[in-house]
Amino acid sequence: FSFRKLWAFTGPGFLMSIAYLDPGNIESDLQSGAVAGFKLLWVLLVATVIGLLLQRLAARLGVVTGLHLAEVCHRRYRKVPRIILWLMVELAIIGSDMQEVIGSAIAINLLSVGKIPLWGGVLITIADTFVFLFLDKYGLRKLEAFFGFLITIMALTFGYEYITVKPNQEKLLQGLFIPYCRDCGTPQLEQAVGIVGAVIMPHNMYLHSALVKSRQVNRDDKREVREANKYFFIESCIALFVSFIINIFVVTVFAEAFFNKTNADVSQVCANSSSPHSSLFPNNNETLEVDIYKGGVVLGCYFGPAALYIWAIGILAAGQSSTMTGTYSGQFVMEGFLNLRWSRFARVLLTRSIAVTPTLFVAIFQDVEHLTGMNDFLNVLMSLQLPFALIPVLTFTSLPSVMRDFANGLFWRVAGGLLILLICCINMYFVVAYVMSLHNLGLYIGAAVLSIIYLSFVAYLV
């Protein structure tokens, strides 16, 4: 083992780990803390470990073949299923990017004390494209250093909230290592499913398999390939451990401070602290519901304005970093599936426009205080796309014709298949629960027809 070699391979895993810290994940964290307290921490731990194992497969594919997942799909699938697969992955990227851009816009709105509207924040976030292109011009190492800086900001800001709130350490350890949820009902179960859906992102498999190609590896030398796989896996473990700790900060802050709180409790505290946002919470005894925006407000009411602004800085860092990795994903997916040979600027501009345009419309016509419904829909959309990343990555890493001596053994094939089946079942439950909550017969029929088409395509991939 060599620390110098580990440092040489460090970078792709931390860029990949950004997807575990995007605003969608942060919102899932704070909601699980507010709804279930410390009881679902073990779900977050299990989901992160499963995510690590799946990322390992994606990284191995890139290291061994010298091709990323989208390029392998282009070579292995026929034209029609390949185009359908590309569209599904593109939908996942758009859904994820919408959450990330909206998260950044909400953070800008909080930092400007409401003076910059949501659509203004979206326009500012579009500038990410130019920051990304500027840094990318100076090489991947500079870009990796910038992402490392943003992860450090998230660790410091959410760590500050953790130290300020001082969560109960005994409950934290119990929630983390005892896989049980006492007195849990449907809301807690839905939060558990939401955690899995938020942590394991479909486009992240495509991203990670492409990022590892940035390191020079002699693929004719088995020892060198084996060594690269080892160091990339160690780096992924470190990166996801850091992201897991940051997620723990968010869950435990809201579990300690806002579990079992009612709207009336928060409304009274906000009124006493002369918060300009106290009207957000009706004076009733319904359980408090929070999102990224309301989460920042209640932190400000309970722990002072500093807590609100530091929260907003953390969300801004999460949003900015994840929008740039989303741009990267879109670029790799488009050039891999369609075999495009455009200039870097043209590719980035197109992939960014595809994601930002619908987000801008949402921001113009939707109030910053009423975005939870859109986030639920986007989580469902991304959950549906998971098989279109997980099935190809397990299939290709199990084929000796693709991976040669590094193909998955029987244990990995069976365990990977069972994991993917479990994740897909969990996410299908999430989708069914979401559709049933809409209470519309026409939507039920439409969802049933789409389900048959969807499941047929998944069966074809299997």
Side-chain angles (χ1 to χ4, degrees):
F1 178 81
S2 162
F3 280 105
R4 181 176 289 179
K5 282 187 179 175
L6 178 60
W7 178 248
F9 284 101
T10 295
F14 280 91
L15 263 70
M16 167 275 293
S17 73
I18 293 289
Y20 292 73
L21 294 167
D22 69 351
N25 269 292
I26 302 299
E27 183 156 315
S28 171
D29 290 341
L30 66 90
Q31 286 175 347
S32 76
V35 169
F38 296 88
K39 298 171 190 172
L40 295 179
L41 285 172
W42 64 273
V43 178
L44 178 62
L45 174 61
V46 170
T48 305
V49 171
I50 292 172
L52 172 65
L53 297 176
L54 294 171
Q55 296 298 159
R56 174 182 178 270
L57 294 180
R60 281 170 65 86
L61 181 71
V63 170
V64 174
T65 64
L67 302 169
H68 59 70
L69 182 56
E71 289 173 326
V72 180
C73 289
H74 181 268
R75 295 184 180 202
R76 292 276 163 172
Y77 289 125
R78 294 190 181 92
K79 187 174 181 180
V80 173
R82 187 174 75 232
I83 296 294
I84 295 171
L85 196 58
W86 169 65
L87 290 172
M88 294 298 101
V89 177
E90 206 65 66
L91 266 178
I93 293 170
I94 291 169
S96 175
D97 214 17
M98 284 180 75
Q99 282 186 320
E100 291 149 6
V101 172
I102 290 288
S104 294
I106 287 171
I108 291 167
N109 181 274
L110 285 170
L111 288 168
S112 66
V113 201
K115 288 187 172 60
I116 298 177
L118 202 61
W119 59 266
V122 170
L123 290 175
I124 291 169
T125 307
I126 291 172
D128 279 350
T129 308
F130 302 103
V131 174
F132 169 83
L133 285 167
F134 174 76
L135 287 168
D136 197 46
K137 190 173 72 174
Y138 288 99
L140 190 63
R141 273 313 231 188
K142 298 283 191 303
L143 197 64
E144 289 168 354
F146 180 65
F147 281 115
F149 170 69
L150 291 174
I151 291 172
T152 304
I153 289 176
M154 284 184 260
L156 292 173
T157 51
F158 297 134
Y160 169 86
E161 308 289 0
Y162 180 84
I163 292 166
T164 303
V165 175
K166 299 183 182 69
N168 185 311
Q169 299 301 300
E170 187 182 339
K171 287 183 180 175
L172 190 160
L173 291 171
Q174 282 179 351
L176 205 53
F177 297 113
I178 299 175
Y180 181 66
C181 191
R182 181 178 292 170
D183 303 324
C184 287
T186 304
Q188 288 78 17
L189 180 60
E190 286 178 0
Q191 284 304 322
V193 171
I195 289 170
V196 176
V199 166
I200 301 166
M201 308 281 273
H203 64 279
N204 220 26
M205 305 296 147
Y206 291 88
L207 176 67
H208 199 192
S209 66
L211 290 172
V212 296
K213 288 171 59 182
S214 63
R215 302 304 192 264
Q216 291 296 321
V217 177
N218 179 6
R219 291 179 175 84
D220 295 325
D221 185 340
K222 288 182 188 176
R223 186 190 61 80
E224 202 170 316
V225 172
R226 195 172 288 111
E227 187 176 71
N229 282 330
K230 178 180 78 173
Y231 284 112
F232 277 130
F233 181 62
I234 293 169
E235 187 232 2
S236 296
C237 289
I238 296 167
L240 288 189
F241 178 73
V242 171
S243 73
F244 175 67
I245 294 297
I246 295 171
N247 283 319
I248 288 281
F249 286 161
V250 178
V251 176
T252 52
V253 161
F254 282 83
E256 181 67 37
F258 306 114
F259 177 51
N260 275 342
K261 287 282 192 298
T262 64
N263 284 323
D265 296 333
V266 176
S267 178
Q268 192 170 355
V269 172
C270 286
N272 292 340
S273 64
S274 305
S275 168
H277 305 286
S278 54
S279 59
L280 265 179
F281 307 99
N283 195 9
N284 60 36
N285 288 322
E286 289 182 15
T287 305
L288 174 69
E289 289 185 6
V290 281
D291 51 28
I292 289 175
Y293 181 74
K294 290 177 182 174
V297 170
V298 293
L299 283 171
C301 292
Y302 276 77
F303 303 104
L308 186 153
Y309 293 121
I310 289 170
W311 169 260
I313 290 167
I315 295 297
L316 186 61
Q320 296 290 294
S321 55
S322 50
T323 49
M324 283 194 269
T325 54
T327 303
Y328 236 166
S329 302
Q331 178 189 317
F332 289 134
V333 163
M334 185 168 281
E335 70 183 31
F337 273 108
L338 305 183
N339 201 22
L340 289 180
R341 289 291 174 262
W342 290 5
S343 72
R344 174 64 54 93
F345 182 81
R347 285 199 309 263
V348 171
L349 201 63
L350 178 63
T351 52
R352 204 82 184 92
S353 303
I354 289 171
V356 166
T357 305
T359 313
L360 194 56
F361 279 108
V362 169
I364 291 168
F365 297 109
Q366 188 69 282
D367 196 303
V368 70
E369 297 165 13
H370 302 97
L371 288 168
T372 305
M374 188 198 77
N375 269 324
D376 289 343
F377 172 74
L378 291 175
N379 282 334
V380 167
L381 180 70
M382 285 183 288
S383 295
L384 282 170
Q385 310 312 319
L386 263 174
F388 307 126
L390 302 187
I391 294 171
V393 82
L394 180 63
T395 301
F396 296 138
T397 53
S398 299
L399 290 175
S401 59
V402 175
M403 298 290 285
R404 302 190 302 278
D405 294 342
F406 294 93
N408 294 331
L410 180 63
F411 172 79
W412 268 101
R413 291 203 296 274
V414 173
L418 290 173
L419 273 180
I420 290 169
L421 182 64
L422 174 67
I423 292 163
C424 293
C425 288
I426 286 171
N427 282 288
M428 284 310 292
Y429 169 84
F430 185 45
V431 172
V432 170
Y434 174 77
V435 173
M436 295 297 284
S437 69
L438 298 175
H439 304 296
N440 185 307
L441 182 62
L443 287 173
Y444 293 166
I445 295 167
V449 172
L450 287 174
S451 295
I452 293 166
I453 299 168
Y454 171 84
L455 291 171
S456 300
F457 188 59
V458 170
Y460 168 80
L461 290 179
V462 171

